[in-house]
Amino acid sequence: MSTLVEMSAVRTVLLQCPSSISPSQTPSLCSSNRVSVKLSVFRCSAASPVTVVNGNVDKKPYERNGVRLGLPSKGRMATDTLDLLKDCQLSVKQVNPRQYVAEIPQENPTRVLALGCPYVASPLLDLNHCRCSRMNADYGCLTNLEVWFQRPKDVVRKLVSGDLDLGIVGLDTLNEYGQGDEDLILVHEALDYGDCRLSLAIPKYGIFENINSLEELAQMSQWTPERPLRVATGFTYLGPKFMKENGLEHVTFSTADGALEAAPAMGIADAIVDLVSSGTTLRENNLKEIEGGVILESQAVLVASRRSLIQRKGVLDITHEMLERFEAHLRAAGQFTLTANMRGSSADEVAERVLSQTSLSGLQGPTVSPVFCRRDGKVAADYYAIVICVPKKELYKSVQQLRSIGGSGVLVSPLTYIFDEETPRWRQLLSNLGL
Protein backbone atom coordinates (compact mmCIF):
# COMPACT_ATOMS: atom_id res chain seq x y z
CA MET A 1 0.00 0.00 0.00
CA SER A 2 2.82 2.45 0.84
CA THR A 3 4.35 1.79 -2.57
CA LEU A 4 1.09 2.71 -4.25
CA VAL A 5 0.91 5.97 -2.31
CA GLU A 6 4.48 6.85 -3.24
CA MET A 7 3.91 6.14 -6.92
CA SER A 8 0.73 8.26 -6.92
CA ALA A 9 2.58 11.22 -5.45
CA VAL A 10 5.40 10.93 -7.96
CA ARG A 11 2.96 10.60 -10.86
CA THR A 12 1.50 13.99 -9.95
CA VAL A 13 4.97 15.48 -10.36
CA LEU A 14 5.50 13.68 -13.66
CA LEU A 15 2.33 15.18 -15.09
CA GLN A 16 3.63 18.64 -14.23
CA CYS A 17 7.14 18.10 -15.58
CA PRO A 18 6.98 15.40 -18.25
CA SER A 19 10.26 16.37 -19.84
CA SER A 20 12.32 16.55 -16.67
CA ILE A 21 11.74 13.36 -14.64
CA SER A 22 11.84 9.80 -15.79
CA PRO A 23 10.43 6.81 -13.90
CA SER A 24 13.97 5.70 -13.14
CA GLN A 25 14.41 8.80 -11.00
CA THR A 26 11.43 7.94 -8.82
CA PRO A 27 13.24 6.11 -5.98
CA SER A 28 15.84 8.83 -5.50
CA LEU A 29 13.14 11.49 -5.34
CA CYS A 30 11.00 9.67 -2.80
CA SER A 31 13.64 8.19 -0.56
CA SER A 32 15.03 11.37 0.96
CA ASN A 33 14.72 11.12 4.73
CA ARG A 34 14.66 14.91 5.08
CA VAL A 35 11.37 15.28 3.18
CA SER A 36 8.00 14.90 4.91
CA VAL A 37 5.10 13.03 3.35
CA LYS A 38 3.51 16.39 2.51
CA LEU A 39 6.52 17.45 0.44
CA SER A 40 7.01 16.59 -3.24
CA VAL A 41 10.53 17.21 -4.60
CA PHE A 42 11.28 17.54 -8.28
CA ARG A 43 13.68 18.97 -10.83
CA CYS A 44 11.97 20.90 -13.56
CA SER A 45 12.61 23.59 -16.15
CA ALA A 46 9.20 24.10 -17.71
CA ALA A 47 5.88 22.37 -18.25
CA SER A 48 3.24 22.34 -20.92
CA PRO A 49 -0.43 22.91 -20.14
CA VAL A 50 -2.45 19.76 -20.64
CA THR A 51 -6.19 19.40 -20.24
CA VAL A 52 -7.42 15.85 -19.67
CA VAL A 53 -11.10 15.01 -20.21
CA ASN A 54 -12.08 11.41 -19.46
CA GLY A 55 -8.50 10.35 -20.04
CA ASN A 56 -8.17 12.19 -23.36
CA VAL A 57 -6.47 15.45 -24.17
CA ASP A 58 -9.14 17.81 -25.45
CA LYS A 59 -8.99 21.57 -25.95
CA LYS A 60 -12.14 22.01 -28.01
CA PRO A 61 -15.00 23.71 -26.12
CA TYR A 62 -18.27 21.83 -26.16
CA GLU A 63 -21.43 23.51 -27.35
CA ARG A 64 -23.43 25.62 -24.89
CA ASN A 65 -25.56 28.73 -25.11
CA GLY A 66 -24.38 30.93 -22.24
CA VAL A 67 -21.18 32.96 -22.04
CA ARG A 68 -19.24 32.14 -18.88
CA LEU A 69 -17.17 34.49 -16.73
CA GLY A 70 -14.97 32.91 -14.05
CA LEU A 71 -14.33 34.85 -10.82
CA PRO A 72 -12.27 34.00 -7.72
CA SER A 73 -14.47 32.30 -5.15
CA LYS A 74 -12.74 33.28 -1.90
CA GLY A 75 -10.33 35.71 -0.30
CA ARG A 76 -9.34 39.31 -0.84
CA MET A 77 -9.14 38.89 -4.60
CA ALA A 78 -12.77 37.72 -4.68
CA THR A 79 -13.96 40.68 -2.59
CA ASP A 80 -12.04 43.25 -4.63
CA THR A 81 -13.28 41.73 -7.90
CA LEU A 82 -16.91 41.99 -6.83
CA ASP A 83 -16.28 45.59 -5.71
CA LEU A 84 -14.85 46.49 -9.13
CA LEU A 85 -17.82 44.96 -10.93
CA LYS A 86 -20.22 46.81 -8.63
CA ASP A 87 -18.43 50.12 -9.27
CA CYS A 88 -18.87 49.46 -13.00
CA GLN A 89 -22.64 48.88 -12.67
CA LEU A 90 -22.07 45.13 -13.03
CA SER A 91 -23.16 43.92 -9.60
CA VAL A 92 -23.16 40.15 -9.27
CA LYS A 93 -26.34 38.61 -7.88
CA GLN A 94 -25.65 35.44 -5.95
CA VAL A 95 -28.83 34.05 -4.39
CA ASN A 96 -26.97 31.61 -2.15
CA PRO A 97 -23.32 32.18 -1.10
CA ARG A 98 -22.77 28.42 -1.39
CA GLN A 99 -23.77 28.42 -5.04
CA TYR A 100 -21.04 28.48 -7.66
CA VAL A 101 -23.12 30.16 -10.36
CA ALA A 102 -24.58 33.69 -10.35
CA GLU A 103 -25.71 36.40 -12.75
CA ILE A 104 -25.30 40.11 -13.44
CA PRO A 105 -28.80 41.66 -13.61
CA GLN A 106 -29.13 44.54 -16.07
CA GLU A 107 -30.61 47.99 -15.55
CA ASN A 108 -33.75 49.26 -17.25
CA PRO A 109 -32.75 49.77 -20.90
CA THR A 110 -33.96 53.39 -20.85
CA ARG A 111 -31.25 54.32 -18.35
CA VAL A 112 -27.94 52.60 -18.96
CA LEU A 113 -24.33 53.56 -19.46
CA ALA A 114 -23.68 55.32 -22.75
CA LEU A 115 -20.70 53.25 -23.79
CA GLY A 116 -18.24 54.99 -26.06
CA CYS A 117 -19.35 58.45 -24.99
CA PRO A 118 -16.36 60.84 -25.17
CA TYR A 119 -17.85 63.02 -22.45
CA VAL A 120 -17.34 62.65 -18.72
CA ALA A 121 -20.11 60.31 -17.60
CA SER A 122 -22.19 60.17 -14.46
CA PRO A 123 -23.05 56.70 -13.09
CA LEU A 124 -26.20 56.54 -15.23
CA LEU A 125 -26.91 58.52 -18.35
CA ASP A 126 -30.30 58.96 -19.96
CA LEU A 127 -29.73 57.83 -23.53
CA ASN A 128 -32.45 60.19 -24.75
CA HIS A 129 -30.46 63.20 -23.56
CA CYS A 130 -26.86 62.08 -24.06
CA ARG A 131 -24.94 64.32 -26.48
CA CYS A 132 -22.99 61.35 -27.80
CA SER A 133 -24.27 59.60 -30.91
CA ARG A 134 -22.26 56.42 -30.23
CA MET A 135 -24.84 54.80 -27.97
CA ASN A 136 -24.67 51.26 -26.70
CA ALA A 137 -26.56 49.61 -29.53
CA ASP A 138 -25.99 46.14 -28.12
CA TYR A 139 -27.75 46.68 -24.79
CA GLY A 140 -28.79 43.40 -23.29
CA CYS A 141 -25.78 41.29 -24.35
CA LEU A 142 -24.85 40.79 -20.67
CA THR A 143 -28.14 39.00 -20.06
CA ASN A 144 -26.50 35.94 -21.64
CA LEU A 145 -23.59 36.06 -19.17
CA GLU A 146 -23.15 33.41 -16.48
CA VAL A 147 -20.84 34.10 -13.54
CA TRP A 148 -19.01 31.09 -12.13
CA PHE A 149 -17.10 31.23 -8.84
CA GLN A 150 -13.97 29.08 -8.93
CA ARG A 151 -10.55 28.82 -7.38
CA PRO A 152 -8.26 31.18 -9.32
CA LYS A 153 -6.15 28.34 -10.71
CA ASP A 154 -9.31 26.57 -11.86
CA VAL A 155 -10.46 29.72 -13.66
CA VAL A 156 -7.31 29.53 -15.78
CA ARG A 157 -7.53 25.79 -16.31
CA LYS A 158 -11.15 26.03 -17.40
CA LEU A 159 -10.35 28.85 -19.79
CA VAL A 160 -7.81 26.54 -21.40
CA SER A 161 -10.26 23.62 -21.53
CA GLY A 162 -13.08 25.76 -22.94
CA ASP A 163 -15.36 25.51 -19.90
CA LEU A 164 -15.06 29.27 -19.33
CA ASP A 165 -14.84 32.12 -21.83
CA LEU A 166 -13.65 35.03 -19.66
CA GLY A 167 -11.97 35.25 -16.28
CA ILE A 168 -10.55 37.65 -13.72
CA VAL A 169 -7.47 36.37 -11.87
CA GLY A 170 -4.05 37.55 -10.76
CA LEU A 171 -1.38 37.77 -13.44
CA ASP A 172 0.74 35.36 -11.36
CA THR A 173 -2.04 32.75 -11.46
CA LEU A 174 -2.54 33.25 -15.19
CA ASN A 175 1.16 32.74 -15.94
CA GLU A 176 1.57 29.81 -13.55
CA TYR A 177 -1.40 27.75 -14.68
CA GLY A 178 -1.72 29.08 -18.22
CA GLN A 179 1.97 28.35 -18.83
CA GLY A 180 2.15 30.33 -22.05
CA ASP A 181 -0.91 28.75 -23.68
CA GLU A 182 -1.50 30.69 -26.89
CA ASP A 183 -5.26 30.42 -26.53
CA LEU A 184 -5.22 32.69 -23.46
CA ILE A 185 -5.36 36.35 -24.43
CA LEU A 186 -4.86 39.22 -21.99
CA VAL A 187 -7.74 41.67 -22.44
CA HIS A 188 -6.91 44.10 -19.60
CA GLU A 189 -3.56 43.76 -17.85
CA ALA A 190 -4.04 46.31 -15.03
CA LEU A 191 -7.33 46.28 -13.10
CA ASP A 192 -5.60 48.17 -10.28
CA TYR A 193 -6.01 45.79 -7.34
CA GLY A 194 -4.42 42.58 -6.07
CA ASP A 195 -0.94 44.11 -6.34
CA CYS A 196 1.88 41.78 -5.31
CA ARG A 197 5.08 40.29 -6.66
CA LEU A 198 6.36 36.76 -7.04
CA SER A 199 9.80 36.83 -5.49
CA LEU A 200 12.73 34.68 -4.43
CA ALA A 201 13.61 35.04 -0.75
CA ILE A 202 16.52 33.65 1.28
CA PRO A 203 17.44 33.69 4.99
CA LYS A 204 19.18 36.72 6.47
CA TYR A 205 21.51 34.51 8.49
CA GLY A 206 24.08 31.74 8.04
CA ILE A 207 25.67 31.24 4.64
CA PHE A 208 23.23 33.76 3.12
CA GLU A 209 24.07 36.64 5.45
CA ASN A 210 26.18 38.50 2.87
CA ILE A 211 24.24 37.35 -0.20
CA ASN A 212 22.16 40.23 -1.57
CA SER A 213 21.66 39.50 -5.26
CA LEU A 214 20.65 36.68 -7.56
CA GLU A 215 24.06 36.79 -9.18
CA GLU A 216 25.79 36.28 -5.81
CA LEU A 217 23.42 33.42 -5.00
CA ALA A 218 24.23 31.69 -8.30
CA GLN A 219 27.99 32.03 -7.71
CA MET A 220 27.96 30.33 -4.32
CA SER A 221 30.21 27.27 -4.44
CA GLN A 222 27.89 25.23 -2.21
CA TRP A 223 25.52 24.29 -5.02
CA THR A 224 26.48 21.07 -6.77
CA PRO A 225 24.57 18.20 -8.39
CA GLU A 226 24.91 16.34 -5.10
CA ARG A 227 23.92 19.35 -2.98
CA PRO A 228 21.65 21.61 -5.03
CA LEU A 229 19.94 24.78 -3.87
CA ARG A 230 16.60 23.68 -2.40
CA VAL A 231 13.66 25.97 -3.11
CA ALA A 232 10.18 25.59 -1.63
CA THR A 233 7.36 27.03 -3.71
CA GLY A 234 3.82 26.60 -4.90
CA PHE A 235 4.82 27.99 -8.30
CA THR A 236 6.15 24.83 -9.91
CA TYR A 237 6.20 26.32 -13.41
CA LEU A 238 7.35 29.91 -12.94
CA GLY A 239 9.94 29.09 -10.27
CA PRO A 240 11.94 26.54 -12.29
CA LYS A 241 11.53 28.59 -15.46
CA PHE A 242 13.00 31.65 -13.73
CA MET A 243 15.97 29.73 -12.34
CA LYS A 244 16.78 28.18 -15.70
CA GLU A 245 16.57 31.54 -17.50
CA ASN A 246 18.96 33.06 -14.95
CA GLY A 247 21.58 30.33 -15.17
CA LEU A 248 21.05 28.58 -11.83
CA GLU A 249 21.71 24.96 -12.77
CA HIS A 250 21.87 23.01 -9.52
CA VAL A 251 18.41 23.65 -8.07
CA THR A 252 15.66 21.40 -6.76
CA PHE A 253 12.11 22.49 -6.03
CA SER A 254 9.62 21.25 -3.48
CA THR A 255 5.99 21.96 -2.75
CA ALA A 256 4.76 21.88 0.84
CA ASP A 257 1.50 22.43 2.66
CA GLY A 258 1.34 25.43 4.98
CA ALA A 259 3.37 28.61 5.20
CA LEU A 260 6.48 28.49 3.02
CA GLU A 261 8.23 31.07 5.19
CA ALA A 262 8.92 28.37 7.79
CA ALA A 263 10.65 26.01 5.35
CA PRO A 264 14.21 27.46 5.62
CA ALA A 265 14.10 27.58 9.43
CA MET A 266 12.90 23.96 9.52
CA GLY A 267 15.73 22.85 7.25
CA ILE A 268 13.32 21.75 4.52
CA ALA A 269 14.57 24.33 2.01
CA ASP A 270 17.31 26.89 1.51
CA ALA A 271 15.06 29.48 -0.14
CA ILE A 272 11.45 30.08 -1.10
CA VAL A 273 9.60 31.48 -4.10
CA ASP A 274 6.32 33.04 -3.01
CA LEU A 275 4.01 36.02 -3.42
CA VAL A 276 5.05 39.12 -1.51
CA SER A 277 2.93 42.17 -0.81
CA SER A 278 4.40 44.39 1.90
CA GLY A 279 7.25 42.05 2.82
CA THR A 280 6.31 42.05 6.51
CA THR A 281 5.84 38.27 6.71
CA LEU A 282 9.27 37.69 5.20
CA ARG A 283 10.95 40.06 7.64
CA GLU A 284 9.19 38.51 10.62
CA ASN A 285 10.56 35.11 9.57
CA ASN A 286 14.12 36.40 9.04
CA LEU A 287 13.92 36.17 5.27
CA LYS A 288 14.93 38.76 2.68
CA GLU A 289 14.34 39.48 -0.97
CA ILE A 290 17.41 39.93 -3.13
CA GLU A 291 18.31 42.10 -6.09
CA GLY A 292 17.18 40.48 -9.32
CA GLY A 293 15.00 38.03 -7.46
CA VAL A 294 11.59 39.39 -8.49
CA ILE A 295 10.10 36.91 -10.90
CA LEU A 296 6.85 38.70 -11.71
CA GLU A 297 4.95 41.87 -10.78
CA SER A 298 1.30 40.92 -10.50
CA GLN A 299 -2.17 42.41 -10.18
CA ALA A 300 -5.69 41.47 -11.24
CA VAL A 301 -6.23 41.02 -14.99
CA LEU A 302 -9.10 40.26 -17.36
CA VAL A 303 -8.29 37.27 -19.55
CA ALA A 304 -10.24 35.51 -22.30
CA SER A 305 -10.13 32.40 -24.43
CA ARG A 306 -9.07 33.30 -27.96
CA ARG A 307 -11.22 30.50 -29.37
CA SER A 308 -14.27 31.73 -27.48
CA LEU A 309 -13.76 35.32 -28.64
CA ILE A 310 -13.66 34.20 -32.25
CA GLN A 311 -16.04 31.25 -32.30
CA ARG A 312 -18.61 31.62 -29.53
CA LYS A 313 -21.53 33.95 -30.15
CA GLY A 314 -21.76 36.92 -27.80
CA VAL A 315 -18.33 36.59 -26.17
CA LEU A 316 -16.74 39.43 -28.15
CA ASP A 317 -19.68 41.79 -27.49
CA ILE A 318 -19.63 41.06 -23.75
CA THR A 319 -15.86 41.50 -23.65
CA HIS A 320 -16.21 44.87 -25.40
CA GLU A 321 -18.79 46.10 -22.91
CA MET A 322 -16.82 44.93 -19.86
CA LEU A 323 -13.63 46.48 -21.25
CA GLU A 324 -15.38 49.81 -21.88
CA ARG A 325 -16.80 49.90 -18.36
CA PHE A 326 -13.51 48.92 -16.70
CA GLU A 327 -11.55 51.47 -18.72
CA ALA A 328 -13.99 54.30 -18.00
CA HIS A 329 -14.07 53.57 -14.27
CA LEU A 330 -10.32 53.12 -13.89
CA ARG A 331 -9.58 56.24 -15.87
CA ALA A 332 -11.85 58.24 -13.56
CA ALA A 333 -10.33 56.79 -10.38
CA GLY A 334 -8.61 59.55 -8.44
CA GLN A 335 -9.91 62.27 -10.79
CA PHE A 336 -12.00 65.28 -9.72
CA THR A 337 -14.03 67.88 -11.57
CA LEU A 338 -13.36 71.50 -10.63
CA THR A 339 -15.99 74.09 -11.49
CA ALA A 340 -15.39 77.79 -10.84
CA ASN A 341 -16.69 81.17 -11.94
CA MET A 342 -14.28 83.74 -13.32
CA ARG A 343 -14.80 87.33 -14.43
CA GLY A 344 -13.52 88.08 -17.92
CA SER A 345 -14.07 90.02 -21.11
CA SER A 346 -14.41 86.95 -23.36
CA ALA A 347 -14.19 83.16 -23.32
CA ASP A 348 -10.87 83.33 -25.18
CA GLU A 349 -9.37 85.71 -22.63
CA VAL A 350 -10.47 83.51 -19.72
CA ALA A 351 -9.19 80.35 -21.44
CA GLU A 352 -5.82 82.04 -21.96
CA ARG A 353 -5.59 82.76 -18.22
CA VAL A 354 -6.54 79.21 -17.28
CA LEU A 355 -4.07 77.60 -19.66
CA SER A 356 -1.26 79.74 -18.26
CA GLN A 357 -1.42 77.58 -15.12
CA THR A 358 0.30 74.19 -15.34
CA SER A 359 -2.28 72.26 -13.29
CA LEU A 360 -5.38 73.50 -15.10
CA SER A 361 -5.12 71.94 -18.55
CA GLY A 362 -7.68 69.19 -17.82
CA LEU A 363 -8.08 66.14 -20.07
CA GLN A 364 -7.92 67.97 -23.41
CA GLY A 365 -8.27 71.51 -22.06
CA PRO A 366 -10.68 73.57 -19.95
CA THR A 367 -14.33 74.03 -20.80
CA VAL A 368 -15.23 77.73 -20.72
CA SER A 369 -18.84 78.85 -21.01
CA PRO A 370 -20.63 82.16 -20.28
CA VAL A 371 -22.63 82.64 -17.08
CA PHE A 372 -25.64 84.82 -17.95
CA CYS A 373 -27.32 87.21 -15.55
CA ARG A 374 -29.82 90.06 -15.88
CA ARG A 375 -28.45 93.55 -15.24
CA ASP A 376 -30.40 96.77 -15.79
CA GLY A 377 -33.08 94.76 -17.56
CA LYS A 378 -30.60 93.25 -20.01
CA VAL A 379 -28.97 89.83 -20.22
CA ALA A 380 -25.20 90.02 -19.88
CA ALA A 381 -22.26 87.66 -19.36
CA ASP A 382 -19.69 89.17 -17.05
CA TYR A 383 -18.59 85.78 -15.67
CA TYR A 384 -17.51 82.56 -17.27
CA ALA A 385 -17.78 79.05 -15.84
CA ILE A 386 -14.59 76.99 -15.90
CA VAL A 387 -14.78 73.18 -15.84
CA ILE A 388 -11.63 71.06 -15.69
CA CYS A 389 -10.59 67.58 -14.54
CA VAL A 390 -7.63 67.22 -12.20
CA PRO A 391 -5.99 64.24 -10.46
CA LYS A 392 -6.43 63.94 -6.71
CA LYS A 393 -2.77 64.63 -5.97
CA GLU A 394 -3.05 67.94 -7.84
CA LEU A 395 -6.39 68.96 -6.33
CA TYR A 396 -5.35 71.57 -3.76
CA LYS A 397 -2.67 73.01 -6.03
CA SER A 398 -5.25 73.39 -8.80
CA VAL A 399 -7.71 75.14 -6.49
CA GLN A 400 -5.00 77.58 -5.44
CA GLN A 401 -4.10 78.31 -9.06
CA LEU A 402 -7.75 78.90 -9.96
CA ARG A 403 -8.03 81.40 -7.12
CA SER A 404 -4.82 83.15 -8.15
CA ILE A 405 -6.26 83.97 -11.60
CA GLY A 406 -9.61 85.16 -10.31
CA GLY A 407 -11.60 81.96 -9.86
CA SER A 408 -14.29 81.94 -7.18
CA GLY A 409 -17.01 79.61 -5.93
CA VAL A 410 -14.89 76.56 -6.69
CA LEU A 411 -16.90 73.32 -6.65
CA VAL A 412 -15.18 69.92 -6.37
CA SER A 413 -16.85 66.67 -7.47
CA PRO A 414 -15.38 63.15 -7.77
CA LEU A 415 -15.70 61.43 -11.13
CA THR A 416 -17.26 58.02 -11.63
CA TYR A 417 -16.48 57.36 -15.29
CA ILE A 418 -14.53 58.94 -18.10
CA PHE A 419 -15.50 57.38 -21.41
CA ASP A 420 -13.02 57.85 -24.22
CA GLU A 421 -14.05 57.88 -27.86
CA GLU A 422 -12.66 54.35 -28.06
CA THR A 423 -10.49 52.43 -25.64
CA PRO A 424 -7.05 51.58 -27.08
CA ARG A 425 -7.24 48.14 -25.47
CA TRP A 426 -10.27 47.26 -27.60
CA ARG A 427 -8.42 48.15 -30.79
CA GLN A 428 -5.42 46.13 -29.55
CA LEU A 429 -7.65 43.14 -28.80
CA LEU A 430 -9.12 43.16 -32.30
CA SER A 431 -5.62 43.36 -33.73
CA ASN A 432 -4.47 40.40 -31.63
CA LEU A 433 -7.44 38.41 -32.87
CA GLY A 434 -6.77 39.34 -36.49
CA LEU A 435 -10.16 41.05 -36.79
Side-chain angles (χ1 to χ4, degrees):
M1 179 63 71
S2 62
T3 302
L4 290 176
V5 173
E6 278 188 355
M7 291 302 293
S8 176
V10 172
R11 186 175 181 183
T12 299
V13 177
L14 290 174
L15 286 174
Q16 293 173 344
C17 310
S19 62
S20 305
I21 305 177
S22 64
S24 62
Q25 293 174 295
T26 298
S28 63
L29 290 176
C30 298
S31 61
S32 173
N33 57 14
R34 299 196 63 187
V35 180
S36 69
V37 294
K38 292 187 177 182
L39 195 66
S40 300
V41 183
F42 60 94
R43 298 172 187 265
C44 180
S45 59
S48 300
V50 176
T51 303
V52 180
V53 181
N54 296 326
N56 300 314
V57 176
D58 183 11
K59 300 181 70 174
K60 182 179 179 180
Y62 63 86
E63 291 301 322
R64 52 180 163 79
N65 294 324
V67 177
R68 293 178 176 176
L69 167 67
L71 301 182
S73 57
K74 296 180 181 179
R76 181 64 180 271
M77 179 69 80
T79 301
D80 290 346
T81 299
L82 292 178
D83 287 343
L84 172 66
L85 291 169
K86 183 178 180 180
D87 290 340
C88 296
Q89 302 289 316
L90 296 172
S91 295
V92 176
K93 181 181 179 182
Q94 189 178 18
V95 178
N96 187 328
R98 293 182 180 272
Q99 289 180 334
Y100 292 105
V101 64
E103 61 179 3
I104 299 178
Q106 292 300 285
E107 299 285 347
N108 187 309
T110 61
R111 286 181 63 75
V112 295
L113 285 172
L115 299 181
C117 177
Y119 302 102
V120 175
S122 62
L124 289 174
L125 289 179
D126 191 331
L127 294 186
N128 296 322
H129 296 91
C130 180
R131 292 179 293 166
C132 177
S133 61
R134 298 182 66 239
M135 307 290 185
N136 178 18
D138 296 322
Y139 170 80
C141 64
L142 290 178
T143 59
N144 197 37
L145 179 65
E146 300 173 357
V147 176
W148 287 80
F149 292 100
Q150 302 283 298
R151 294 182 301 177
K153 62 182 179 181
D154 289 334
V155 170
V156 178
R157 287 169 173 168
K158 289 176 181 179
L159 281 168
V160 173
S161 68
D163 297 311
L164 293 173
D165 306 303
L166 298 161
I168 296 179
V169 294
L171 183 61
D172 58 288
T173 304
L174 173 62
N175 286 356
E176 173 66 20
Y177 296 97
Q179 300 182 5
D181 192 293
E182 294 183 354
D183 184 61
L184 298 177
I185 186 166
L186 204 55
V187 178
H188 198 301
E189 77 290 349
L191 295 180
D192 207 25
Y193 65 93
D195 295 69
C196 60
R197 58 190 177 276
L198 182 62
S199 192
L200 174 68
I202 60 176
K204 296 179 180 179
Y205 48 84
I207 60 174
F208 300 102
E209 183 175 1
N210 297 317
I211 302 299
N212 297 300
S213 70
L214 186 65
E215 182 179 0
E216 292 172 349
L217 180 65
Q219 292 174 353
M220 293 178 68
S221 60
Q222 283 89 342
W223 320 130
T224 66
E226 295 74 25
R227 175 58 175 93
L229 174 69
R230 300 167 303 157
V231 181
T233 185
F235 290 84
T236 57
Y237 171 75
L238 291 177
K241 181 174 180 287
F242 175 77
M243 291 298 190
K244 182 179 180 181
E245 290 174 349
N246 285 276
L248 280 83
E249 298 179 357
H250 308 306
V251 185
T252 60
F253 289 83
S254 62
T255 57
D257 292 339
L260 292 179
E261 291 83 2
M266 294 177 68
I268 297 174
D270 302 305
I272 68 171
V273 168
D274 202 7
L275 293 176
V276 180
S277 182
S278 65
T280 301
T281 304
L282 289 181
R283 292 190 293 270
E284 290 179 347
N285 286 275
N286 291 315
L287 299 176
K288 62 183 178 181
E289 295 177 89
I290 57 177
E291 181 182 348
V294 176
I295 299 172
L296 177 71
E297 296 283 354
S298 180
Q299 63 176 299
V301 300
L302 174 64
V303 61
S305 161
R306 183 185 300 270
R307 285 169 293 133
S308 291
L309 288 170
I310 295 174
Q311 299 173 12
R312 194 178 297 285
K313 181 179 179 181
V315 176
L316 196 60
D317 290 336
I318 287 175
T319 303
H320 187 195
E321 181 163 346
M322 291 183 66
L323 187 57
E324 289 269 11
R325 291 177 185 246
F326 288 167
E327 286 279 81
H329 172 67
L330 294 173
R331 191 179 182 198
Q335 295 280 341
F336 288 81
T337 298
L338 295 187
T339 304
N341 288 338
M342 187 177 299
R343 187 184 291 273
S345 59
S346 68
D348 289 345
E349 184 266 329
V350 170
E352 187 68 35
R353 269 191 283 161
V354 173
L355 290 172
S356 69
Q357 305 298 310
T358 56
S359 297
L360 304 181
S361 59
L363 295 177
Q364 285 88 28
T367 298
V368 181
S369 55
V371 177
F372 295 98
C373 62
R374 187 175 295 276
R375 188 176 64 252
D376 299 330
K378 296 181 179 180
V379 174
D382 294 334
Y383 283 87
Y384 290 83
I386 313 301
V387 182
I388 58 171
C389 294
V390 299
K392 184 177 181 179
K393 62 182 180 180
E394 299 284 343
L395 180 59
Y396 186 69
K397 178 181 178 181
S398 299
V399 171
Q400 293 294 82
Q401 289 188 349
L402 268 176
R403 287 172 171 173
S404 70
I405 59 174
S408 62
V410 181
L411 303 179
V412 180
S413 303
L415 290 176
T416 306
Y417 306 101
I418 300 177
F419 286 101
D420 231 337
E421 187 170 354
E422 183 177 71
T423 168
R425 285 185 175 88
W426 172 246
R427 182 55 51 193
Q428 182 63 45
L429 176 62
L430 294 180
S431 176
N432 290 341
L433 294 173
L435 300 177

